[in-house]
Amino acid sequence: MVKAILMAATIFPTISTITMAIGTKLRNGNSMTKYSNQLRCDDIPQSPALLLDRPVIKLHSPISTKENELEHQVQKIRGLMKRKASDYVEMEELVMIDAVQRLGLEDYFEEEIIFVLERLYAKFYSLQDVDHGLNYHELALSFRLLRHQGYYLTADIFEKLKDKDGKLKEEVGKDLKSLLSIFECCQLETVEEDEEEICGEVKDIIGQLLETSMNTIEEEQKARLIDNTLRNPCHKNVARLSASPFLQDFSFSLEFLHDFSNLKDPWIYEVQELARIDFDIARMNYRTELHQISKWGKELNLEDMNFARIEPLKWCMWSLGVFPGPNMSQHRLELAKAVSFIYIIDDIFDSHDSYHQLHQFTQAIHRWEYGDVEQLPKSMKVCFKALQDTTHDFSSKIKRKFGWDPQPYLQKLWAEQLRCYLVEAKWRFTKYSPSPEEYLNNAIITSGTHVVLAHAFFLLGHGINNNSLHDFINLPSIVSSTATILRLWNDTGIHTDKTPDGSDHSYIDYYMKEEKTRSSKSARHHINGVISEAWNCLNREYMSSDCVFSRDFKLACLNLARMVPIMYNNHQRCHLHFLLMKNK
């Protein structure tokens, strides 16, 4: 992977040294690689001005004053960004993009961001082998911003970080700013050819250097910034839900990360103010959504299942992660309902001692006949009725909006979900111990990822056709890699070294049995490697122009994977509780 980051280094001196003429190559239709700019492959209008639909801010409570403040603030910043736009893509333009993305505000500035990155992308493929004036930080920042937006750049540029002996150059290791920036861009590695080996090596070395640096750093803000980068790199985080640490040290972070000393520039204050207004409005809307989902659950009598996890807060947290945008309230509400059934049905299979009843329940879902559950326990009848009604209501809405009826596909996916739950139940009843591979192949389905992302796919409505539906039903790589990340994070969290019977039915458990080891440490190390591989696969699919799915759907998959560490990290989950729960 280093080979590609430093190829761009050879072709990328400093941000402000390229002439305006370079931008014309992109407009003339340069073909790049099979991973050409993903924005060209999806549903973004390609007008000369790159005009995009703006977020429609619809609020659920009487907060028109805040709404007006928000729109006013957005327009002010758009004006500032346009005035700063230059033919050369100045470093300050990239700093502004980085700032609004770290604060989760990029939805408001899609047009302005694309306008800058289109020209930046042209530079990377217009410059020839120039090996002077190299700025590692600017290079890494550019690489990350472009890949984050869905542009593919080869990772050869990372070779420039090494000396002739293949070791990290001394000047790189001494520059904290460059180390942080390179560590961030290493998170976007893919499974292409030698990229994993090159990038993984660089990421490990730089991660160790950053951890070591914290032992000698006395400034609290600097140490906090480095620690947060190591724990929550930008690419693997839902910025809109975890922007507080960056906002807390906003001015310092800009100065430290980018050597940006012009802290009196008006845009800095304006972006901070927008983030505060946006957070206040979002919190009010999210709380309204939580109330609506709680009410929905009561109307369907879900609370009658006292053994199940009836946790509207958790359902809403997942949907908030997948669809964090300011104009996606209805998407979140519908997705939270799908998430609720993943938890409830999982609890039904965990709490019932009759395999025969579980088998009957599974068959009923497969046939989609309510009459088949008449003789089953009340919990199964309540669940099935609620699932049928909710799926029918969801399907009717999608058909009215997009002309496609998703119900036949959703029924198949729910049937497959329960079939895999039943497999796990059979293993438990027969005390069968599967291999780690056999377990994981089944567990990525029981994670619920496939069903949840199917609802997300239909809610977005982009690219719904026979080809995409066929691919989706057959568990495409972008979904399976997301499911792998979720399942293994979950299993790592539930495993303990002192379970009563020595077995917790997790991947770690089955891996330790197959490897005949008592060391959960080595098992966790192995799992981290599998999770890393899944992330690399997800990154590749996100940037691939061969993928049949829209960029919005690929972003939803990415957001679900990003949400996983937040849901399994008590500190970050507490932040979401604060965001969603009402003040007492």
Side-chain angles (χ1 to χ4, degrees), residues 102 224 227-246 279 313-314 316-318 320-321 489 535 559-581:
R102 284 174 181 265
R224 187 161 58 230
D227 180 59
N228 191 59
T229 299
L230 288 169
R231 289 187 297 107
N232 307 302
C234 293
H235 178 63
K236 295 180 178 178
N237 219 344
V238 182
R240 195 172 177 82
L241 305 185
S242 51
S244 295
F246 186 68
F279 181 83
L313 177 60
K314 190 174 289 186
C316 287
M317 286 163 66
W318 280 112
L320 179 56
W489 260 91
W535 261 108
N559 280 340
L560 180 55
R562 289 166 168 166
M563 194 64 186
V564 170
I566 295 177
M567 294 300 291
Y568 295 110
N569 180 306
N570 289 331
H571 173 73
Q572 295 197 56
R573 194 163 65 245
C574 285
H575 171 70
L576 290 184
H577 278 245
F578 166 74
L579 188 66
L580 287 166
M581 295 300 289

Side-chain angles (χ1 to χ4, degrees), residues 72 145 219 275 282 482 555:
H72 177 68
L145 293 179
E219 302 102 310
T482 304
L555 182 59

